[in-house]
Amino acid sequence: MRRTRLAGALTAVIALALTATGCGGGDSPKAAPAAKAAAAPDRVEPLSSPASPQLPVTVGSADGRRVTVDSTERIVPLSGSLSEIVFTLGLGDRVVARDVTATFEQAADLPVVTRAHDVSAESVLSLKPTLVLAESTTGPAEAIAQIRDAGVPLVVVPAAKDLDDVGSRIDDVAAALGVPAAGEELRERTAERLDAVREKIPAHADRPRVAFLYVRGSAAVYLLGGAESGASSLLEAAGAVDAGKESGLKKDFTPITTEALAQAAPDAILVMTKGLQSVGGVDGLVKIPGVAETPAGADRRVVSVDDGVLLNYGPRTDQVLASLVDQLYGAKK
């Protein structure tokens, strides 16, 4: 689960979800039955021309500070999304650690400096970083303060909320790394690829209703995404309706109940791949109270995307959108 938006949103609701255990219809276009995940590739694709940092630079940080970066020789990005951007800009050989959510192959052998979803300041500082990149939801605050107090330049990037944030995040990271031209190239490449996916979305009079469920069977956590879950922008870009948002759920997540699912009445269900595995696949998912009674549950229409990329809103978001489109509209794998 990516910490930047989703983990912060879940903190306040997991206690409720642990006690919550727990229907509709529609003739919207039907999603393809999906027991298989359509995860984005496990590798990022760096720009063809390696970037050469022009330093020092002084940049704004999302926490209101001005930060001067003198060296990018030892970079620690504290989220999977930020790691993807750094590697895609061509500076992956300078990254010395990773967050647990950086799951792509190029980062696999790097030491992890987070415990669950909390940053270990001691682990970060032991690697002698010359630049730390964080998101506005990265924590705990004490760890961030400890890294700063040690004199390490730390730049905070606003947390991603939707597709509109992709370009600005790339620009922010590129500016902090002293490679603004490479950032512009990557931003344009990403925008072009997203546009190419959008052009392939079938036109339908009735858009499929899709509910985003966050499930972790091992912890008995079953949540329904609402307007602030982070998934709405992707679903809407894929030509779908965010069923949770449309049913009136204004916050990020709420514990799944039969009533909430009946109100959402999804034609398809979106889940993260590991979450689907944690409940025993589609067979286990439809046993969650209320799921089987939805149109999606009755027809076993489940869309799954890898945890490491679904809500990253970074250079691989076009692949996420393409996966959603393929699964929703029945493209053959």
Side-chain angles (χ1 to χ4, degrees):
M1 174 180 59
R2 65 187 290 272
R3 180 181 62 253
T4 54
R5 183 162 182 81
L6 184 54
L10 293 175
T11 300
V13 295
I14 285 182
L16 269 176
L18 292 173
T19 59
T21 53
C23 335
D27 53 4
S28 299
K30 293 187 174 182
K36 297 180 180 179
D42 290 332
R43 295 183 61 82
V44 299
E45 179 188 350
L47 295 173
S48 56
S49 300
S52 179
Q54 302 298 307
L55 301 170
V57 294
T58 299
V59 297
S61 181
D63 56 0
R65 301 169 184 259
R66 298 287 294 174
V67 180
T68 297
V69 180
D70 295 305
S71 171
T72 56
E73 289 304 310
R74 299 182 66 81
I75 306 168
V76 176
L78 292 177
S79 78
S81 178
L82 295 177
S83 293
E84 285 192 12
I85 296 173
V86 175
F87 272 82
T88 309
L89 287 169
L91 299 178
D93 59 341
R94 299 168 183 239
V95 176
V96 296
R98 69 180 177 94
D99 168 64
V100 68
T101 60
T103 57
F104 54 95
E105 290 180 9
Q106 292 101 316
D109 294 333
L110 292 170
V112 177
V113 292
T114 52
R115 297 168 183 163
H117 297 291
D118 288 341
V119 176
S120 167
E122 293 81 6
S123 296
V124 171
L125 293 173
S126 71
L127 294 166
K128 303 185 184 307
T130 59
L131 173 63
V132 173
L133 298 170
E135 304 212 10
S136 54
T137 51
T138 301
E142 294 81 3
I144 299 303
Q146 186 176 343
I147 294 169
R148 273 217 172 95
D149 290 345
V152 179
L154 188 150
V155 177
V156 179
V157 177
K161 297 180 180 179
D162 54 45
L163 280 172
D164 291 339
D165 295 329
V166 174
S168 62
R169 287 165 63 75
I170 291 171
D171 287 342
D172 288 344
V173 173
L177 297 175
V179 291
E184 181 177 356
E185 180 183 351
L186 179 57
R187 173 167 42 81
E188 292 176 354
R189 186 186 86 174
T190 304
E192 289 172 357
R193 291 180 176 183
L194 283 167
D195 288 341
V197 176
R198 288 188 180 102
E199 291 175 0
K200 298 177 181 179
I201 297 174
H204 288 287
D206 297 313
R207 299 190 297 162
R209 295 174 62 87
V210 183
F212 174 39
L213 304 187
Y214 178 78
V215 295
R216 281 296 185 268
S218 57
V221 175
Y222 309 110
L223 305 173
L224 170 60
E228 298 299 321
S229 73
S232 292
S233 180
L234 280 169
L235 292 173
E236 291 162 5
V241 173
D242 182 340
K245 174 182 175 181
E246 187 73 7
S247 70
L249 298 179
K250 299 186 182 300
K251 57 181 183 178
D252 35 47
F253 291 90
T254 188
I256 290 174
T257 63
T258 299
E259 294 76 13
L261 285 172
Q263 183 69 24
D267 302 303
I269 290 171
L270 169 63
V271 289
M272 293 181 175
T273 303
K274 289 182 181 177
L276 184 60
Q277 293 170 349
S278 77
V279 296
V282 176
D283 288 341
L285 186 68
V286 298
K287 293 178 183 177
I288 296 174
V291 172
E293 288 72 42
T294 66
D299 291 329
R300 299 169 64 86
R301 295 194 178 98
V302 178
V303 174
S304 62
V305 177
D306 187 75
D307 304 47
V309 294
L310 177 57
L311 299 179
N312 268 4
Y313 290 113
R316 294 197 288 174
T317 299
D318 65 292
Q319 297 170 10
V320 175
L321 184 58
S323 176
L324 288 175
V325 171
D326 286 349
Q327 293 182 80
L328 283 172
Y329 304 109
K332 302 296 184 183
K333 297 296 175 197

